[in-house]
Amino acid sequence: MQIELNKRTLHFRKPARTSRGQYTEHHLLKVTMYDEQGRIGVGECAPLPDLSPDAHAYDDLSQVARLIEEAPLLSPLWGEDPTCAEALPQRGSGEGAPYPALLFALESALYDLRQSPILYDTPFARSREGIPTNGLVWMDTYDGMLRQAKQKILAGFRCIKFKIGALDWDDELRLISLLRSRFSPDTLQIRLDANGAFAPDEALSRLRELAPLGIHSIEQPVRQYLWDDTARLCRESPIPIALDEELIGVYRLSDKQKLLDDLRPQYVVIKPTLHGGMSGALEWVSESRKRGIGSWMTSALESNIGLRNVALLAAAAYGPRIRFPQGLGTGLLFTDNIPMDIELRRTQLWRCEVDE
């Protein structure tokens, strides 16, 4: 087995703003595996600055190579048979921590190389079905966000996710109220992502203001690690709470179980790059499902390489027929994305035709 590492930098068509800051470019590490039979597998390691626990772990390629070769937390990956349908879900429980982005890349590349049925025996992988996605509205001025929302609706999206927390609260409330006045919850699902922007003492009152607007869910209303405040919001909020950043750094199975049992969110939003690679992501899905907690997967601003692999994983986790929109509509964010065998067809992500 040979592994090739290549750095790439992608550039956003327009700065991507969240309540944590602004992205204009995204650095990634393309991981390519080759075996003796001439097969190739590709994965992507692309942690997010100021968010991923391993954000600066891959700056030196020689250090990454040593990590892949020597790190005991990653070594169990090589001993598995990736053609076994049970191999991937049995991983997790902290293996690969604290390198979730690299673990995601290695797992993706290895399963791609072996064309494991875990990922490739689904209608999506066989180009028979697409995966519905939400339309993402980034933080901007009031007029800019309204313009984005109109474009998404005209494109056919019936699930819109707003990044909030940058505008004046009254303006954000006015914007969402305007859309809801024109589109009922039956015709347009509205999801919100606060990225921890609300102060704990104001969060519940804001959620109550939003409640009459028929909001599907709000991600991470307060910043991570405020467990008492988050648990209270999950109990008392009139809007379902979805946790995202709260899952970062939680790798052991027992810790995942404790978080879900203590906080009891209505949803979790799973990003393999941040939440423990493919194996860790499936563990989150499984443990949430046992507790009646919903979940969906989203990309974490990866290139088309990572987006493709997240989509393959989502199809395996939620298939065979996915009706709940996933967060996989990010392929058009970059001016210089890496071509892959996926494309967004209106509001669904499809894998392009592949030979059987």
Side-chain angles (χ1 to χ4, degrees):
M1 180 84 69
Q2 292 184 330
I3 298 179
E4 181 180 288
L5 304 173
N6 296 106
K7 287 186 174 182
R8 293 285 298 267
T9 299
L10 303 184
H11 300 87
F12 285 87
R13 296 182 185 277
K14 184 178 179 180
R17 295 175 59 194
T18 76
S19 60
R20 289 186 305 272
Q22 177 173 282
Y23 296 109
T24 59
E25 59 184 25
H26 193 32
H27 303 288
L28 64 93
L29 192 61
K30 180 182 177 183
V31 177
T32 307
M33 289 185 183
Y34 306 86
D35 70 6
E36 315 77 41
Q37 302 175 47
R39 296 179 298 184
I40 299 175
V42 181
E44 175 181 354
C45 175
L48 290 170
D50 304 319
L51 186 60
S52 297
D54 50 347
H56 301 292
Y58 316 115
D59 296 337
D60 183 341
L61 290 185
S62 61
Q63 179 180 340
V64 179
R66 287 194 300 272
L67 181 61
I68 292 173
E69 183 177 350
E70 300 172 4
L73 291 174
L74 294 175
S75 59
L77 182 66
W78 312 122
E80 293 173 351
D81 175 7
T83 64
C84 172
E86 298 301 319
L88 189 56
Q90 287 177 352
R91 284 185 45 79
S93 300
E95 294 155 345
Y99 306 106
L102 181 59
L103 181 59
F104 173 55
L106 294 174
E107 288 175 323
S108 301
L110 186 60
Y111 283 76
D112 185 30
L113 182 145
R114 304 288 176 86
Q115 291 290 291
S116 166
I118 296 170
L119 300 184
Y120 291 89
D121 189 18
T122 69
F124 170 77
R126 295 192 298 270
S127 305
R128 297 293 182 264
E129 286 191 4
I131 299 177
T133 67
N134 59 246
L136 182 58
V137 174
W138 288 93
M139 289 180 175
D140 202 337
T141 63
Y142 177 93
D143 290 337
M145 292 181 72
L146 181 59
R147 183 165 53 251
Q148 289 182 65
K150 288 180 178 178
Q151 290 170 347
K152 298 298 181 184
I153 292 170
L154 288 173
F157 287 95
R158 291 300 174 259
C159 175
I160 304 292
K161 173 179 168 179
F162 287 87
K163 292 276 189 179
I164 62 172
L167 295 180
D168 177 82
W169 171 244
D170 289 338
D171 285 339
E172 290 182 332
L173 192 61
R174 182 163 59 94
L175 172 64
I176 298 165
S177 299
L178 175 61
L179 281 198
R180 183 51 81 218
S181 70
R182 299 183 181 182
F183 301 94
S184 71
D186 292 334
T187 57
L188 181 68
Q189 184 180 102
I190 296 178
R191 300 176 182 173
L192 304 178
D193 185 0
N195 287 125
F198 295 168
D201 59 355
E202 69 184 7
L204 190 57
S205 64
R206 290 190 172 185
L207 295 174
R208 286 171 175 159
E209 287 185 84
L210 289 166
L213 302 179
I215 305 301
H216 170 270
S217 59
I218 181 167
E219 292 179 40
Q220 205 69 43
V222 298
R223 61 183 175 84
Q224 65 193 116
Y225 309 135
L226 299 176
W227 274 31
D228 289 343
D229 295 298
T230 299
R232 179 173 60 88
L233 291 176
C234 291
R235 288 193 309 270
E236 300 179 13
S237 171
I239 295 173
I241 302 295
L243 298 184
D244 174 358
E245 288 92 336
E246 205 69 63
L247 312 186
I248 296 172
V250 183
Y251 304 119
R252 285 191 290 269
L253 176 59
S254 58
D255 292 337
K256 293 176 182 177
Q257 293 168 335
K258 180 174 174 53
L259 182 147
L260 295 172
D261 288 337
D262 288 354
L263 302 186
R264 303 300 303 183
Q266 286 72 45
Y267 297 100
V268 292
V269 183
I270 301 169
K271 300 176 179 177
T273 286
L274 297 172
H275 300 150
M278 289 191 160
S279 48
L282 287 183
E283 205 166 60
W284 279 114
V285 172
S286 175
E287 292 303 315
S288 298
R289 188 174 284 153
K290 290 176 185 176
R291 292 159 174 79
I293 296 170
S295 68
W296 67 89
M297 287 192 196
T298 84
S299 64
L301 303 183
E302 298 94 351
S303 78
N304 279 334
I305 295 173
L307 178 61
R308 171 188 188 267
N309 290 326
V310 175
L312 288 166
L313 186 64
Y318 302 120
R321 180 164 294 184
I322 301 178
R323 291 290 175 256
F324 197 69
Q326 309 292 300
L328 302 175
T330 56
L332 301 178
L333 290 177
F334 304 105
T335 62
D336 45 4
N337 210 334
I338 299 171
M340 291 295 292
D341 58 346
I342 55 171
E343 62 182 5
L344 191 65
R345 301 177 188 172
R346 287 181 59 80
T347 66
Q348 294 191 341
L349 188 71
W350 282 77
R351 189 176 184 212
C352 303
E353 289 292 337
V354 293
D355 295 331
E356 295 289 349

